[in-house]
Amino acid sequence: MKKVDTNKYTKLTLSLERIRGIITELPHNGHRFVVLYDDKPDKQGYIQTILEDDTLGEQSPYLLETRVYHTEDTFSHYRKSCTKAQEIFPYFEDFYKDIPFSYENWEEVTKEFLED
């Protein structure tokens, strides 16, 4: 089952429609970020979004990140910027429905998260 964390919610099960609403209102609702993940122990990946610059409010692009685990200890981390919340919805919907998506237009940033 998919769970949502924000700075106001922890491990909450929400409908896809409610998740969309939180993302759309991110500049105003005080949540600051949205993380969607699977609470099954064998599924460690997630997708998340924040405003790139919350001081810009509605004018801020959204930063979208996702992590894909290949094994328990290895993963790939991807990032992309989206100008509007509507651009993010298909990715959250696919993740919510366990539909794989392409990372072709994403920046691969795994090295930023690996220990030296």
Side-chain angles (χ1 to χ4, degrees), residues 10-53:
T10 303
K11 298 181 181 179
L12 199 60
T13 302
L14 297 174
S15 69
L16 192 52
E17 183 178 319
R18 181 70 179 110
I19 295 167
R20 282 188 195 127
I22 293 170
I23 292 170
T24 300
E25 292 300 316
L26 214 50
H28 310 289
N29 61 17
H31 283 281
R32 301 189 44 89
F33 62 87
V34 179
V35 180
L36 179 63
Y37 62 97
D38 201 314
D39 69 342
K40 295 176 187 170
D42 63 327
K43 296 212 174 191
Q44 298 180 26
Y46 60 85
I47 190 166
Q48 66 185 18
T49 191
I50 62 170
L51 296 178
E52 279 191 38
D53 182 349

Side-chain angles (χ1 to χ4, degrees), residues 68-78:
V68 179
Y69 281 85
H70 309 292
T71 68
E72 188 174 318
D73 299 323
T74 62
F75 63 86
S76 296
H77 197 97
Y78 300 94

